[in-house]
Amino acid sequence: MRILNNRKLIPLLSFLIFAPLALANHHSVANIEWHEWSDTAFKRAEAEDKLVLLDIGAAWCQFCKKMEQVTYQDPEVVKIINEHYIAVKADIETTEAVRKLYESFGVPGTIVLTPNREEINKRRGYIEPLQMQWHLLGVLQDA
């Protein structure tokens, strides 16, 4: 009888120990709601009283991919952007209007604009998640 109880007890204990760990690693992270460069995105920013965060990249840009995989997956960065910004993603090679404005700026480029398309701030290069949090919150404080 005791062996039978141990056979039932071991799986139960294993479940109780490892289930919380599995759930902790499987938390869901919201995604950034990206928009295309368009009048609609800027009108939405105006209607929602938000700034526009423009992420400029290119398919060949390794640091752009790192921004997508690391910085823009950070839960706090996602939260700040979704709550306070209209996020616009543009490929410098395929978005003509963005290319005309920012071709010489380089990629990755992170630019904060008003709904009237006035630049508030711009940064070139890869931005670590914590730096991005400070940057986004600092821009909001100064705006």
Side-chain angles (χ1 to χ4, degrees), residues 33-46:
E33 184 182 343
W34 291 106
H35 302 272
E36 293 182 6
W37 177 271
S38 66
D39 290 337
T40 304
F42 286 91
K43 287 177 184 173
R44 182 171 178 184
E46 185 173 23

Side-chain angles (χ1 to χ4, degrees), residues 11-23:
L12 177 62
L13 287 174
S14 296
F15 175 78
L16 292 174
I17 291 169
F18 294 110
L21 295 174
L23 291 174

Side-chain angles (χ1 to χ4, degrees), residues 24-137:
N25 289 330
H26 186 64
H27 67 282
S28 62
V29 176
N31 291 320
I32 295 171
E33 184 182 343
W34 291 106
H35 302 272
E36 293 182 6
W37 177 271
S38 66
D39 290 337
T40 304
F42 286 91
K43 287 177 184 173
R44 182 171 178 184
E46 185 173 23
E48 295 182 20
D49 195 28
K50 293 182 177 182
L51 297 174
V52 174
L53 176 71
L54 173 60
D55 175 70
I56 304 172
W60 48 263
C61 173
Q62 291 305 310
F63 282 110
C64 300
K65 292 175 184 170
K66 187 174 180 181
M67 290 275 292
E68 289 176 20
Q69 295 168 353
V70 178
T71 304
Y72 291 133
Q73 296 301 314
D74 179 81
E76 193 61 29
V77 170
V78 172
K79 179 181 175 198
I80 293 166
I81 292 173
N82 285 341
E83 287 180 8
H84 302 286
Y85 292 88
I86 297 299
V88 174
K89 185 177 281 293
D91 187 309
I92 196 77
E93 295 187 332
T94 61
T95 311
E96 184 69 28
V98 173
R99 183 173 53 241
K100 286 180 182 178
L101 292 170
Y102 299 107
E103 186 171 37
S104 64
F105 186 64
V107 293
T110 304
I111 303 168
V112 178
L113 303 129
T114 67
N116 295 327
R117 300 179 193 227
E118 296 170 11
E119 286 181 15
I120 293 176
N121 186 289
K122 62 183 176 180
R123 292 190 56 181
R124 178 179 32 233
Y126 175 74
I127 305 172
E128 294 281 345
L130 188 57
Q131 290 177 325
M132 180 63 90
Q133 291 172 34
W134 294 338
H135 176 68
L136 295 171
L137 293 172

Side-chain angles (χ1 to χ4, degrees), residues 2-22:
R2 189 172 196 144
I3 294 173
L4 184 60
N5 286 340
N6 285 343
R7 286 186 184 159
K8 290 181 181 178
L9 186 61
I10 290 173
L12 177 62
L13 287 174
S14 296
F15 175 78
L16 292 174
I17 291 169
F18 294 110
L21 295 174

